[in-house]
Structure formats: structure tokens, C-alpha cells
Amino acid sequence: MRTATQVRTSTTDMEVTSIRLERTLKEKLKELSGSQGYQSLIRDILWNYVNQKSGDYRPKFAPTDIRATFPAIAQKDESCVLTGKLIQAGDEMHLGFTIHGDLVPLSQLP
């Protein structure tokens, strides 16, 4: 899932970094990036990774993003991706299967 792009920094304010990529990977990134450009896509991917690992990541979903749901029991505290409501460990909840193939916690059915 792709989240909102970070605020754009002028390229003159960025540091130059060299990275070696397999040719096929670079070509796939170019194909996927379209008019955005593959370097910008790589920055978006890296920012998404950093936000997810730092705990700052809050995916945004709409009820129309949910394809299917099934009941579950929370094994740890979770937040509903639709409402932000806390789901405490041990509480009944639902898992939603999204159009992007993610399983996400839901406190209510969409």
C-alpha cells in the first residue's frame, strides 16, 4: 500500500547517495514510477519503510477498501484502521482483507 508522499524537498537540499541496483530492478522501478520518476519512487518507498518501522505509520483506509472481513480476537492492542478506535488485547474484533491484499484491524464492520 502506498501512503501519502512526504513533503517534497528541493533536490539542492538533498545529499547525493550512490546505490547499486540490479538492472532488472531498476527497469521495473522505472516502469512502476511513470511520470513520477524512479528516484522519487525509491524515496517514497524508503519513507514508507521508515515510517512503518518508527511507529509513525498510520494507514488510511475507507470502507470501500475492505473486500472481506472475518471475526478475530486481538492478540495485542490495535487501532481500527477506519475509526482509530482502540481495540484492546483479548477483545473481539474483525480483520479486514483490503483491495491491496492487506489484513487490517477493524473495531466495526464497514
Side-chain angles (χ1 to χ4, degrees):
M1 181 184 104
R2 187 169 174 207
T3 61
T5 303
Q6 297 293 315
V7 174
R8 295 288 182 205
T9 302
S10 167
T11 55
T12 57
D13 293 332
M14 294 182 187
E15 292 187 22
V16 175
T17 301
S18 176
I19 182 172
R20 295 187 183 276
L21 301 173
E22 292 87 349
R23 186 167 309 189
T24 54
L25 175 58
K26 185 176 175 181
E27 293 304 316
K28 288 288 186 185
L29 287 167
K30 285 182 177 182
E31 289 173 21
L32 293 170
S33 68
S35 62
Q36 173 186 17
Y38 80 97
Q39 290 182 357
S40 182
L41 176 60
I42 290 171
R43 283 193 298 274
D44 285 348
I45 293 167
L46 291 173
W47 272 118
N48 286 341
Y49 179 84
V50 167
N51 288 335
Q52 287 176 19
K53 292 298 182 180
S54 69
D56 296 337
Y57 176 70
R58 296 292 178 262
K60 303 218 183 320
F61 290 96
T64 55
D65 293 325
I66 307 300
R67 296 177 70 184
T69 62
F70 52 93
I73 302 293
Q75 299 301 305
K76 63 181 184 81
D77 288 353
E78 301 279 359
S79 293
C80 174
V81 299
L82 297 177
T83 65
K85 178 181 171 187
L86 174 67
I87 304 167
Q88 294 185 335
D91 284 355
E92 292 182 4
M93 61 181 270
H94 285 86
L95 286 175
F97 181 66
T98 72
I99 58 175
H100 305 290
D102 300 307
L103 283 175
V104 295
L106 300 170
S107 60
Q108 62 186 30
L109 292 177

